[in-house]
């Protein structure tokens, strides 16, 4: 959603923002765009996308950037926080007629200083393999559009492969290609290979090897984005029908499912260790889903319009070993500085092994912080922290809690493990289930037990509400004792299912609505009495989401089929009510562009954003600006136009 207005709107654009680890600054001299630097008239065009690759050359300038603007595709040397390459001299530039590039992806395995393999998807359904260094076009796939005529929404090389790639279309189908095979001169004939709830996988029947190798049909409506897990074994798909579906890629088995609060899902990403998936979409929310437990563990509300990109920051995501019992008595900033500083690539690479200690017999507590970001059509960048109190709600939280019953109704039980409660600064705690805004509300349909409220003084990182605990407040319980989570694959019978019965639960919630008829207006502040009084309002949209979203919701609802009206997912494990999971608030929520944002990528020294006007912006991480900081002053136009 483009901002309207004149000078006042200009002043709202932010050129820097502050987090606990320091100040991020926009580097106007590091900006990439079309050579003329004129804002692109983006009406009716496909989103601007950015891809990076490192060609491992010896000059120290190994990074390369590719981005599309309208009918044009550009390829430059990317210099990060240093001055950008000469925009008038791209390594490669292509202008297409009759179709527009929509997405692209480099193959990191084959990239060298002399050659790179770049896949480009197009609005008419074709996929091109090009080498922008040698400036040659290797192959064109689906050239005659016999395989699929709809727009390419996402293209990715299969991790670890030099020849296989996966392509998603707005038809809702995905196709697996091999660069060595041709596409044939006739439409492919398919044979069913595997079928499951709302998906099917077909092989291509042919006497000789041809593309596509496989066709996946997933859900209803467009398949907007997919993402491979860090180990390449699983595939997360975000669809216009509002469902996140996670598959075992090789076996084509459905691992788990999640439903958006309403509307379609537009984007998806994995945490660096593969334990969590974040999705965003037309409900203006970011939703955090646990891969192990197959359930929603948190939602984040900060955007005022559709969320277009979500991404984890592998450099700020950290895992710290603690000593039992651990207690931290410094300020919030001190604690997060301890976690974030020095959390570089080495730590990110070891996240998986260190996190796995939670599942071993070693029950030492682990301090975990995941950082992820999101950008949206509201032109805002949001940064979020996912911390222990959200990830492990069943851990001891206060001195007054001496039992192991602190878990949510939907938390997996820890079998055979005792939980040691660590003393904190909390001196009083209320067990009232009504007036405490920080209670873990359980849904009566999923658990017969009343929920346990948390003490008023309990720090809850960036989950809402937190008026009583300012950012600089004490966090005595930030990394307290823990029990070994050896039963992470064990699930409660009411909220999630194990792999052996997962098919049943998916069947039970079969062909679930692409839109819901009831929307909760409840906030975490509501008392039980207030909840009963507000029951009659549940046919309206959420109170804290803007009317603009409500308008979109009404349009979505009115266009759905009768089958959608009959399905009820709200309040189930697929789509918990708002009060049933923690609600995160963003660490940072800043308007950084004039047009809708379409790119967010975290790099080692910086983060990269891009908007629909065609400007690719570099934001230096704290301490990474160096002597160039004098060039970053608010007088420079942050939208990228030359002043």
């Amino acid at each position: 959603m483009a901002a309207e207005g004149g000078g006042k709107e200009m002043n709202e654009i932010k050129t820097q923002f502050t987090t606990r680890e320091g100040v991020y600054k926009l580097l106007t001299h590091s900006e990439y765009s079309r050579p003329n630097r004129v804002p692109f008239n983006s009406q009716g065009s496909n989103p601007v996308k950015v891809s990076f690759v490192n060609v491992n050359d010896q000059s120290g300038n190994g990074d390369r950037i590719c981005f599309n603007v309208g009918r044009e595709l550009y390829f430059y040397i990317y210099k990060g926080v240093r001055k950008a390459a000469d925009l008038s001299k791209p390594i490669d530039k292509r202008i297409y007629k009759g179709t527009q590039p929509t997405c692209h992806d480099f193959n990191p395995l084959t990239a060298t200083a002399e050659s790179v393999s770049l896949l480009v998807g197009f609005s008419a359904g074709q996929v091109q393999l090009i080498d922008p260094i040698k400036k040659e076009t290797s192959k064109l796939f689906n050239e005659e559009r016999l395989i699929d005529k709809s727009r390419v929404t996402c293209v990715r090389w299969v991790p670890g492969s030099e020849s296989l790639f996966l392509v998603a279309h707005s038809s809702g189908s995905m196709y697996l290609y091999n660069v060595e095979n041709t596409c044939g001169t006739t439409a492919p004939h398919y044979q069913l290979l595997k079928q499951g709830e709302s998906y099917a996988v077909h092989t291509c029947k042919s006497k000789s090897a041809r593309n596509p190798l496989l066709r996946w049909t997933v859900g209803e409506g467009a398949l907007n984005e997919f993402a491979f897990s860090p180990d390449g074994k699983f595939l997360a798909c975000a669809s216009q029908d509002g469902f996140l579906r996670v598959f075992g890629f090789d076996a084509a088995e459905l691992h788990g499912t999640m439903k958006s609060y309403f509307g379609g899902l537009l984007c998806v990403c994995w945490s660096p260790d593969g334990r969590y998936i974040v999705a965003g979409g037309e409900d203006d929310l970011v939703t955090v889903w646990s891969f192990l437990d197959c359930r929603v563990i948190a939602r984040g509300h900060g955007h005022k319009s559709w969320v277009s990109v979500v991404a984890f920051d592998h450099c700020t995501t950290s895992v710290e070993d603690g000593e039992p019992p651990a207690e931290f008595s410094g300020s919030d900033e001190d604690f997060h500085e301890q976690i974030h500083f020095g959390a570089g690539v080495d730590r990110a690479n070891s996240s998986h092994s260190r996190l796995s200690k939670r599942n071993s017999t070693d029950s030492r507590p682990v301090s975990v912080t995941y950082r992820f970001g999101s950008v949206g059509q509201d032109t805002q960048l949001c940064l979020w922290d996912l911390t222990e109190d959200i990830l492990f709600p069943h851990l001891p939280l206060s001195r007054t809690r001496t039992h192991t019953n602190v878990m949510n109704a939907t938390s997996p039980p820890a079998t055979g493990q005792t939980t040691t409660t660590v003393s904190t600064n909390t001196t009083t705690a209320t067990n009232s289930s009504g007036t405490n805004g920080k209670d873990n509300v359980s849904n009566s349909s999923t658990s017969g037990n009343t929920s346990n409220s948390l003490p008023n003084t309990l720090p809850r990182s960036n989950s809402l509400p937190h008026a009583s605990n300012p950012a600089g407040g004490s966090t005595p319980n930030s990394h307290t004792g823990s029990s070994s989570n050896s039963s992470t694959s064990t699930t409660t019978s009411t909220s999630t299912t194990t792999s052996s019965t997962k098919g049943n639960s998916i069947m039970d919630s079969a062909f679930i609505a692409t839109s819901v008829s009831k929307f909760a207006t409840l906030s975490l502040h509501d008392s039980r009495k207030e909840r009963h009084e507000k029951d009659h309002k549940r046919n309206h949209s959420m109170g804290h989401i803007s009317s603009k979203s409500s308008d979109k919701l009404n349009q979505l609802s009115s266009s759905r089929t009768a089958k959608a009206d009959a399905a009820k997912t709200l309040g189930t494990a697929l789509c918990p009510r708002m009060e049933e999971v923690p609600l995160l608030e963003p660490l940072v929520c800043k308007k950084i562009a004039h047009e809708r944002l379409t790119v967010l990528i975290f790099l080692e020294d910086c983060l990269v954003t891009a908007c629909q006007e065609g400007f690719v912006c570099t934001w230096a991480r704290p301490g990474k600006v160096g002597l160039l900081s004098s060039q970053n002053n608010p007088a420079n136009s942050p939208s990228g136009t030359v002043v």
Side-chain angles (χ1 to χ4, degrees):
M1 297 311 188
E4 297 177 0
K8 183 178 179 183
E9 291 293 338
M10 287 285 289
N11 294 333
E12 291 182 6
I13 302 287
K14 304 300 182 186
T15 59
Q16 65 180 46
F17 55 86
T18 304
T19 64
R20 296 185 181 98
E21 60 268 19
V23 180
Y24 290 75
K25 294 184 178 180
L26 176 66
L27 305 180
T28 53
H29 62 277
S30 302
E31 179 185 272
Y32 287 77
S33 69
R34 298 190 301 166
N36 61 12
R37 292 184 178 272
V38 174
F40 176 69
N41 182 0
S42 60
Q43 293 297 334
S45 67
N46 289 287
V48 173
K49 295 290 181 67
V50 173
S51 296
F52 287 101
V53 69
N54 190 292
V55 298
N56 300 313
D57 70 353
Q58 304 303 315
S59 67
N61 286 333
D63 288 328
R64 302 290 182 266
I65 183 173
C66 171
F67 57 92
N68 61 290
V69 183
R71 297 185 299 120
E72 302 166 6
L73 188 74
Y74 292 93
F75 181 72
Y76 288 97
I77 292 175
Y78 181 71
K79 297 188 177 181
V81 297
R82 294 170 295 159
K83 186 171 174 27
D86 185 350
L87 297 183
S88 66
K89 298 177 182 177
I91 299 175
D92 195 17
K93 172 187 174 182
R94 299 178 185 231
I95 302 177
Y96 296 93
K97 295 180 180 179
T99 185
Q100 293 185 1
T102 58
C103 51
H104 30 83
D105 190 42
F106 288 105
N107 192 329
L109 295 180
T110 60
T112 67
E114 294 77 35
S115 174
V116 294
S117 297
L118 176 65
L119 291 168
V120 184
F122 291 91
S123 55
Q126 305 94 334
V127 179
Q128 193 179 41
L129 175 63
I130 62 176
D131 187 333
I133 295 180
K134 292 182 177 178
K135 294 185 172 55
E136 52 183 54
T137 301
S138 304
K139 288 186 178 179
L140 187 58
F141 302 93
N142 192 28
E143 181 176 6
E144 302 298 326
R145 305 171 69 211
L146 297 171
I147 296 172
D148 199 305
K149 291 181 169 59
S150 64
R151 177 173 55 93
V152 176
T153 56
C154 187
V155 59
R156 292 275 186 273
W157 291 96
V158 174
S161 174
E162 296 185 2
S163 58
L164 298 178
F165 62 93
L166 194 61
V167 181
H169 289 258
S170 59
S171 63
S173 294
M174 286 189 301
Y175 302 90
L176 181 66
Y177 288 82
N178 187 324
V179 294
E180 307 298 332
N181 296 352
T182 63
C183 290
T185 56
T186 59
H189 295 280
Y190 296 105
Q191 181 173 356
L192 183 65
L193 176 67
K194 178 161 275 187
Q195 193 165 16
E197 183 57 42
S198 297
Y199 83 99
V201 182
H202 293 79
T203 57
C204 182
K205 290 201 302 182
S206 176
K207 293 181 179 178
S208 58
R210 65 161 289 179
N211 284 318
L213 304 178
L214 294 176
R215 181 186 72 177
W216 296 59
T217 51
V218 180
E220 298 178 11
L223 203 166
N224 290 320
E225 188 176 36
F226 63 81
F228 283 99
S229 61
D231 61 8
K233 294 180 179 177
F234 291 89
L235 184 71
C237 300
S239 298
Q240 190 59 39
D241 61 7
F243 281 91
L244 167 73
R245 297 176 178 89
V246 182
F247 298 96
F249 183 61
D250 289 338
E253 292 281 358
L254 185 65
H255 170 79
T257 313
M258 182 270 286
K259 174 73 172 62
S260 69
Y261 199 74
F262 59 79
L265 286 179
L266 304 177
C267 50
V268 63
C269 68
W270 292 78
S271 64
D273 56 16
R275 288 178 168 243
Y276 302 98
I277 296 173
V278 172
E282 296 175 355
D283 53 10
D284 304 355
L285 303 170
V286 292
T287 304
V288 185
W289 190 79
S290 168
F291 175 78
L292 293 174
D293 299 338
C294 292
R295 66 182 182 92
V296 176
I297 60 169
R299 289 189 179 103
H301 179 242
H303 287 285
K304 299 180 178 68
S305 188
W306 296 357
V307 180
S308 50
V309 183
V310 287
F312 273 88
D313 183 353
H314 63 280
C315 294
T316 308
T317 294
S318 67
V319 183
E320 297 285 349
D321 294 338
E323 293 298 328
E327 184 170 338
F328 187 80
S329 57
S331 69
D332 207 38
E333 280 85 353
D334 292 338
F335 168 61
H336 281 272
E337 283 175 9
Q338 174 185 324
I339 284 185
H340 294 312
F341 280 139
V345 176
D346 292 340
R347 178 175 298 164
N349 292 339
S350 63
S351 293
H352 189 277
S353 61
R354 298 173 79 174
L355 270 173
S356 66
K357 290 181 180 180
R358 297 201 62 83
N359 294 332
S360 68
T361 55
D362 179 8
S363 61
R364 285 190 307 161
V366 177
S367 174
V368 186
T369 301
Y370 294 88
R371 167 72 54 81
F372 65 94
S374 58
V375 295
Q377 296 196 10
D378 56 359
T379 72
Q380 291 193 129
L381 164 71
C382 292
L383 295 181
W384 315 79
D385 265 0
L386 193 58
T387 48
E388 289 178 299
D389 53 331
I390 303 298
L391 301 174
F392 313 117
H394 56 285
L395 297 189
L397 295 168
S398 123
R399 174 179 296 178
T400 59
R401 190 80 60 203
T402 55
H403 305 290
T404 58
N405 62 348
V406 194
M407 68 177 67
N408 276 337
T410 54
S411 297
T415 57
Q417 297 290 340
T418 58
T419 302
T420 306
T421 303
V422 182
S423 65
T424 69
N425 292 346
T426 305
T427 54
T428 60
T430 58
N431 258 337
S432 64
S433 56
T435 56
N436 187 351
K438 302 181 183 64
D439 55 347
N440 292 330
V441 183
S442 65
N443 180 16
S444 59
S445 66
T446 58
S447 172
N449 301 326
T450 57
S451 60
N452 295 312
S453 62
L454 303 179
N456 283 325
T457 53
L458 176 68
R460 293 278 293 175
S461 73
N462 55 334
S463 59
L464 288 175
H466 294 308
S468 62
N469 184 31
S474 174
T475 58
N477 205 32
S478 292
H479 42 283
T480 53
S482 145
S483 64
S484 170
N485 199 8
S486 60
S487 63
T488 49
S489 61
T490 307
T491 54
T492 59
S493 59
T494 55
S495 60
T496 55
T497 54
T498 58
S499 57
S500 61
T501 59
K502 190 165 295 171
N504 294 336
S505 87
I506 294 167
M507 291 301 289
D508 292 341
S509 51
F511 303 104
I512 302 169
T514 52
S515 126
V516 279
S517 58
K518 297 205 306 189
F519 299 95
T521 54
L522 304 185
S523 71
L524 293 175
H525 298 279
D526 292 336
S527 68
R528 302 212 169 194
K529 181 179 178 183
E530 289 170 333
R531 285 174 206 154
H532 289 302
E533 292 171 351
K534 289 187 178 182
D535 268 351
H536 68 284
K537 296 182 180 179
R538 288 195 175 170
N539 285 326
H540 302 287
S541 62
M542 294 162 44
H544 63 268
I545 284 189
S546 67
S547 59
K548 189 179 295 185
S549 297
S550 300
D551 294 339
K552 289 177 197 162
L553 172 60
N554 293 334
Q555 293 169 10
L556 283 166
S557 301
S558 62
S559 65
R560 301 306 188 191
T561 61
K563 183 176 74 172
D565 297 331
K568 309 289 183 184
T569 58
L570 189 61
T572 69
L574 281 172
C575 181
R577 296 185 185 277
M578 290 302 292
E579 71 271 23
E580 291 169 1
V581 293
L583 188 64
L584 307 177
E585 65 177 354
L587 298 174
V588 170
C589 187
K590 302 292 184 185
K591 178 183 174 66
I592 62 169
H594 289 294
E595 264 289 352
R596 63 187 185 272
L597 293 162
T598 57
V599 170
L600 175 63
I601 299 172
F602 290 96
L603 302 176
E604 190 170 348
D605 293 336
C606 56
L607 60 93
V608 176
T609 61
C611 71
Q612 196 55 24
E613 286 183 316
F615 297 111
V616 181
C617 297
T618 297
W619 300 76
R621 290 184 186 271
K624 298 294 186 180
V625 183
L627 299 175
L628 301 175
S629 59
S630 60
Q631 301 181 36
N632 306 309
N633 58 72
N636 291 331
S637 171
S639 69
T641 54
V642 175
V643 179

